[in-house]
Amino acid sequence: MSSHESRNLSEHKNSHPFVSESHEGNPVFEWAVGVIVVISGVVAWLGYHMAATVIISVAAMFCAVLRLILRERSPWKVRSVAFDTFIGIALGLGLLITYFSIRLLL
């Protein structure tokens, strides 16, 4: 490998976009969200599907509102404030709408 290729490779590594790295979000908060997801899975496995859906939906919307209010100080960061807020609220509402629409069909 020539020095030019080596320099380009190191520049590429330094310009790599940050994705879910240590300077983004709070790992303790992220682990807490992970625990909530596991709890929701256990609740669903026990047969309480509506409760499991509500748990995930509320967690998603809570994270979105928290990100919107705290902005850069938020413990939940994935991308931009607008993106995180939109995805969290859309996921929460989308899960609830989908769950209840399926219930109406049955």
Side-chain angles (χ1 to χ4, degrees):
M1 181 181 293
S2 71
S3 65
H4 178 68
E5 290 173 335
S6 176
R7 190 178 74 226
N8 284 341
L9 184 60
S10 67
E11 287 175 4
H12 176 69
K13 286 182 180 178
N14 292 337
S15 66
H16 183 274
F18 295 108
V19 179
S20 188
E21 301 206 4
S22 61
H23 76 283
E24 294 183 354
N26 182 336
V28 173
F29 186 81
E30 292 170 357
W31 277 104
V33 171
V35 168
I36 290 170
V37 170
V38 169
I39 290 170
S40 176
V42 170
V43 169
W45 182 73
L46 292 172
Y48 300 104
H49 303 124
M50 184 170 74
T53 304
V54 169
I55 290 170
I56 291 287
S57 296
V58 169
M61 289 188 284
F62 174 77
C63 290
V65 170
L66 189 66
R67 177 75 164 123
L68 182 63
I69 292 170
L70 296 179
R71 305 196 68 76
E72 293 306 316
R73 296 185 333 257
S74 173
W76 183 256
K77 295 179 190 175
V78 178
R79 298 281 183 219
S80 68
V81 173
F83 179 84
D84 293 347
T85 302
F86 173 77
I87 292 297
I89 291 173
L91 174 65
L93 291 176
L95 284 172
L96 290 174
I97 290 168
T98 303
Y99 179 81
F100 287 113
S101 66
I102 291 171
R103 292 280 308 244
L104 287 174
L105 292 173
L106 298 179

